[in-house]
Amino acid sequence: MAEKLQSGVRLRPIDLARRHGLSTQAIRNYEAEGILPPAERSPHGYRTYTPPHASALRAFLALLPGHGHRRAAAIMRAVNNGAIEEALHQIDLSHAQLLEDRGTLTAVRNALRDLETHRAAPPQRPTPVLSGLTPTDDASRATFIGPLADRLGVRPATLRKWERAGLVRPGRDPRTGYRVYDDAAVRDARLVHQLRRGGHPLGRIAPLIDQVRAAGGLQPLEETLDGWHRRLDARGRALLAGAAQLEDHLSTHT
């Protein structure tokens, strides 16, 4: 429960710091960043804070878990400058990012289901579609690097980087030497692309792709996606908590 301070109360930096487990330097830094309104000064030049400062600090600390430091600071700077529309715009950006991340997670799960379906389906005789491929090649949807890069919205250099990292394993056209991505390579590239969009570094994606290919199957990736889902839910609730505290600050002190 937020502490209630009388309007005439004057607080030192250490008073604000202790109430929130912070250092006095952090309080000064927050003021310098515009997260807190400018402090009043005593006749001797010492900083003194008031209930609106304490309320602004509570709002900022509540915004941090959902928005991160950079955006939470931008929100509070806008509030302190009276630019409420800009503060709401920054909040909207965080909600939009969360929605996009949820869409990415859904796309990854869809890609995973597609991979599972392909693994469970009986093998079919593919139809050759590229020069140099024979009817025994897995070429039902085989493609070259340029079209695949266009499909994913990445550069060919990105696909080559994923190949060097062992994440995607294209074959080679026997006549031209060009890279050829069969069904498995296309799906691996799709999974890598979605995981990269979700913020996973290549070093964390590599063992997942390796385990998907191994006899253990898809379970490790399922566990990763479950954890990702929990983190998104936690972010969503953090955004709600931050909004509630900010609304309390706005309704009381602006």
Side-chain angles (χ1 to χ4, degrees), residues 28-29 31-32 119 164 169 172 178 209 230 234 237 241:
R28 289 191 288 269
N29 290 344
E31 183 187 345
R119 286 166 60 90
R164 290 193 297 272
R169 297 175 180 172
R172 294 281 180 168
Y178 293 156
I209 297 295
R230 289 191 294 272
R237 297 193 67 170

Side-chain angles (χ1 to χ4, degrees), residues 110-126 138-141 182-188 190 212 218:
N110 290 341
L112 184 59
R113 281 196 293 268
D114 179 67
L115 183 55
E116 184 67 78
T117 299
H118 179 81
R119 286 166 60 90
Q124 298 180 350
R125 185 180 181 82
D138 185 10
S140 59
R141 288 196 296 270
D182 61 13
D183 283 355
V186 168
R187 276 190 305 274
D188 285 352
R190 185 180 176 194
V212 164
L218 303 170

Side-chain angles (χ1 to χ4, degrees), residues 48-68:
T48 61
Y49 297 101
T50 61
H53 291 94
S55 177
L57 180 59
R58 288 195 298 272
F60 171 70
L61 295 177
L63 291 167
L64 268 178
H67 295 274

